[in-house]
Amino acid sequence: MKSLPALILLLATAIIQAMGMYRYSNDSLTMSGQIFFPILFVLMSAYIGFRAPKTTKFSGVLLGLTGLGFILLVLTGIGMFTDIYWFYPSTYMYYAALALLVITTALTIASVPKAAKKDEGAASDASAKPAAKKAFRRAPKKGRPTNLVAVSKSDSAQKEQ
């Protein structure tokens, strides 16, 4: 799974930024949502990535996303330790990390191969075989009531005549 380093870096950035913003807003509901959604996207992307066979689609883009995640995490660290408020706590940095997580999840979903279609030769062989038997359904006996509410059109036309 090539997107795992990008996922970890972007998740760390988003959570650190969300916790930094909580210090100024003191809104626990907002902070829990800001932490929940990055974790949701990381778990979804990791699950799909581990379940899918190894693919090499989008490897360059994922490498670029890993680099951007590293840059965002370094800028967050610089903002934390030097008190530069452009980098920490910054809603722009948080939403950039969240947007990159969404892009990573979309690329992970797009890299999953689709189910193989049946060959046309196999389809023509299937049409040459006899049709499968229909499910057996016993016809109701005459004069015996059924539990069915609907009546077929042919039965209702015969009763009216």
Side-chain angles (χ1 to χ4, degrees), residues 64-145:
L65 288 174
T66 304
L68 287 174
F70 181 73
I71 290 170
L72 286 176
L73 189 61
V74 167
L75 289 177
T76 299
I78 289 171
M80 282 176 65
F81 296 118
T82 60
D83 290 333
I84 299 176
Y85 296 110
W86 295 310
F87 298 140
Y88 178 80
S90 170
T91 55
Y92 298 118
M93 295 283 284
Y94 170 78
Y95 285 115
L98 184 64
L100 291 175
L101 273 173
V102 170
I103 291 170
T104 306
T105 303
L107 289 175
T108 304
I109 292 170
S111 67
V112 174
K114 294 183 179 180
K117 293 183 180 180
K118 293 182 180 179
D119 296 334
E120 290 181 16
S124 63
D125 292 340
S127 63
K129 294 179 183 178
K133 292 182 180 179
K134 291 185 179 180
F136 176 74
R137 183 174 173 199
R138 184 173 26 166
K141 294 182 180 179
K142 297 290 180 184
R144 181 183 247 179

Side-chain angles (χ1 to χ4, degrees), residues 12-82:
T13 302
I15 289 178
I16 291 170
Q17 290 289 341
M19 293 175 78
M21 287 185 282
Y22 174 71
R23 182 171 51 175
Y24 295 104
S25 66
N26 288 329
D27 187 6
S28 59
L29 186 62
T30 302
M31 186 197 69
S32 62
Q34 288 175 337
I35 289 176
F36 171 75
F37 284 106
I39 290 173
L40 175 74
F41 283 114
V42 166
L43 289 176
M44 183 172 26
S45 185
Y47 176 75
I48 293 170
F50 284 127
R51 296 263 309 175
K54 304 294 182 205
T55 59
T56 58
K57 286 185 179 180
F58 308 114
S59 60
V61 177
L62 291 175
L63 183 63
L65 288 174
T66 304
L68 287 174
F70 181 73
I71 290 170
L72 286 176
L73 189 61
V74 167
L75 289 177
T76 299
I78 289 171
M80 282 176 65
F81 296 118
T82 60

